[in-house]
Amino acid sequence: MIKYLRQTMSLDGRLNRLGYWRWQLTLTCISAVAIVGSTLLAMNGAPKLVSGFVLGAIGLAIAATVPVLVRRLHDRGRSGWWLVPFVVLPWCLPGAVSGLSYAGMPIFAEQSPLFWPITVVMLALTALSIWGFVEIGLLKGQSAANRFGPPPA
């Protein structure tokens, strides 16, 4: 068990598509159980702290996904820094835009001077997300050894 956790949290080496999708399935199951469990606990009057612990499991699962994504990118011959355009920007920038909108800036009104630039940025981020999904989840890894190591077994 410890060996498996150490391997999962390692940023070294490569991970094939099957290993990546196994991890994604595990993450989805953990998250679903945590969300349903937290909701049921909250609905039945459990202290918010208990629900917070359950939702903390989701945070841990997501944090454990970073090394998995890095090793998957290594299998494709790419550096882990590719997570920035594939994951970080598409998730963080829309949140910032939504925050500005909630703060009272009428960004999504068509007469706003920011409407079209933000629309173009959002479309570019969508394209990056799709590219990242294809690169990480669908394309086969390099068959020969690369700078990150030999192909996974």
Side-chain angles (χ1 to χ4, degrees):
M1 176 73 169
I2 299 294
K3 180 183 174 187
Y4 178 74
L5 286 174
R6 187 176 294 132
Q7 180 185 6
T8 300
M9 298 305 290
S10 172
L11 294 173
D12 297 327
R14 296 167 56 175
L15 181 68
N16 61 20
R17 277 182 299 184
L18 180 60
Y20 167 75
W21 283 111
R22 283 181 183 159
W23 177 253
Q24 288 299 82
L25 178 62
T26 303
L27 171 67
T28 302
C29 292
I30 290 170
S31 298
V33 167
I35 290 170
V36 170
S38 177
T39 303
L40 291 174
L41 287 170
M43 289 173 53
N44 290 316
K48 291 181 182 177
L49 183 63
V50 173
S51 295
F53 282 127
V54 174
L55 288 176
I58 295 172
L60 290 174
I62 290 172
T65 299
V66 172
V68 171
L69 289 170
V70 168
R71 287 185 298 130
R72 180 66 190 122
L73 284 167
H74 287 177
D75 192 41
R76 294 280 309 132
R78 299 195 182 276
S79 164
W81 285 105
W82 278 91
L83 284 180
V84 173
F86 288 161
V87 177
V88 176
L89 292 178
W91 281 86
C92 292
L93 288 181
V97 169
S98 294
L100 290 174
S101 178
Y102 288 125
M105 290 187 71
I107 320 178
F108 297 113
E110 198 164 339
Q111 59 273 29
S112 169
L114 296 175
F115 177 78
W116 287 110
I118 286 178
T119 300
V120 169
V121 168
M122 294 297 207
L123 288 173
L125 292 175
T126 301
L128 279 173
S129 291
I130 293 169
W131 178 21
F133 172 75
V134 170
E135 186 79 30
I136 294 170
L138 301 180
L139 294 179
K140 187 176 181 178
Q142 294 178 337
S143 57
N146 63 22
R147 63 185 171 142
F148 302 106

